[in-house]
Amino acid sequence: MRIVGGLADVSQYVRYEEPFWRERISKATNGRIVAEIAPFDRSGIRGQEMLSLIRLGVVSFGTALLAVVSTEEPEFNAIDLPAVNPDIAALHRSVAAFRGHLTETLRERYDIELLGVYVYPAQVVFCRRPFSRLADLNGRRIRTSSVGQSEMFTALGAIPVVIPFADIVNALRSGVVECAVTGTLSGNDIGLHEVTTHVHSMAITWGLSIFGANLGTWHALPQWARDTIRTEVAKLEADIWDAADRETGEGLACNSGQASCQSGRRGNMVVVPVSEADEQRRLQLLTDNVLPGWVRRCGIECVDAWNKTLAPVLGIRARPD
């Protein structure tokens, strides 16, 4: 098997995806399945094209970041829109509610068999200057990584600037941006604790990705192989979710210099807690800005999908534009 995995160098790939495919799947099958894996951002593949490449069979087994493919398929990003899941418990509920629809839609539109839903640690706001609530971000230039994030911060009165992950530190040092949204621990990995002073503890998004197989390739495998892969990938998915939860807290602990920091570098940042005003503002942003913006990009079918799957969980209905 040849696998195209997630982002290179981050914990999910290095600690979980790569060892799973290079070692664990072979051990689980006594060598009957042998796999190679490469991260998609080092495979000469544009992330926006991943779903199409899997459908065409150019990639047999691939990982697609929902925020990236949402430029072509905004419906899939419903479960990781900004402000939808402020903590991992909320994310679990959203994914559980939407997974069946995601599975069916991937099969029908892309000939893809969904095998796993992976999650990165929470993406939060890091800033060079003090702030005590979301409203304080008004007027600040903030690095974002998706249309949804940009819409949310525009609604807050901030100025979103889309910048690649690898350029975040330089952008902060040079003053191109004053704040940045990225993962709590990945931010620590690239040294944000050295160039920023405050970090908010509310998850803006989580960086969900899906792992799937070309349907023709999948059905060509013997039944024992499909059963084994599905069972083992489910275990991998659970490990990745546990790690994302753990590393979200670990990232905040390391950035703020707490003794519980084990895997990162200790900084002396201030962790800004989620206030009642922040929670109210989150719900207002989701209802008045994020969800309507998504509906405009996505269309009436997405309204129906949201209202059937996520509205009963979140208590917020989508309305046609």
Side-chain angles (χ1 to χ4, degrees), residues 53-72:
L53 292 173
I54 299 175
R55 178 178 56 192
L56 293 169
V58 175
V59 173
S60 297
F61 295 85
T63 308
L65 274 68
L66 293 184
V68 174
V69 300
S70 67
T71 55
E72 299 294 328

Side-chain angles (χ1 to χ4, degrees), residues 218-233:
W218 179 248
H219 287 305
L221 292 174
Q223 187 65 49
W224 69 264
R226 279 181 279 159
D227 291 344
T228 302
I229 292 168
R230 194 177 288 282
T231 298
E232 294 300 319
V233 168

Side-chain angles (χ1 to χ4, degrees), residues 188-225:
N188 181 269
D189 288 340
I190 62 174
L192 288 191
H193 60 291
E194 298 172 351
V195 295
T196 58
T197 62
H198 288 61
V199 57
H200 202 280
S201 56
M202 178 185 286
I204 305 300
T205 55
W206 291 85
L208 285 177
S209 60
I210 56 173
F211 175 69
N214 171 273
L215 210 55
T217 301
W218 179 248
H219 287 305
L221 292 174
Q223 187 65 49
W224 69 264

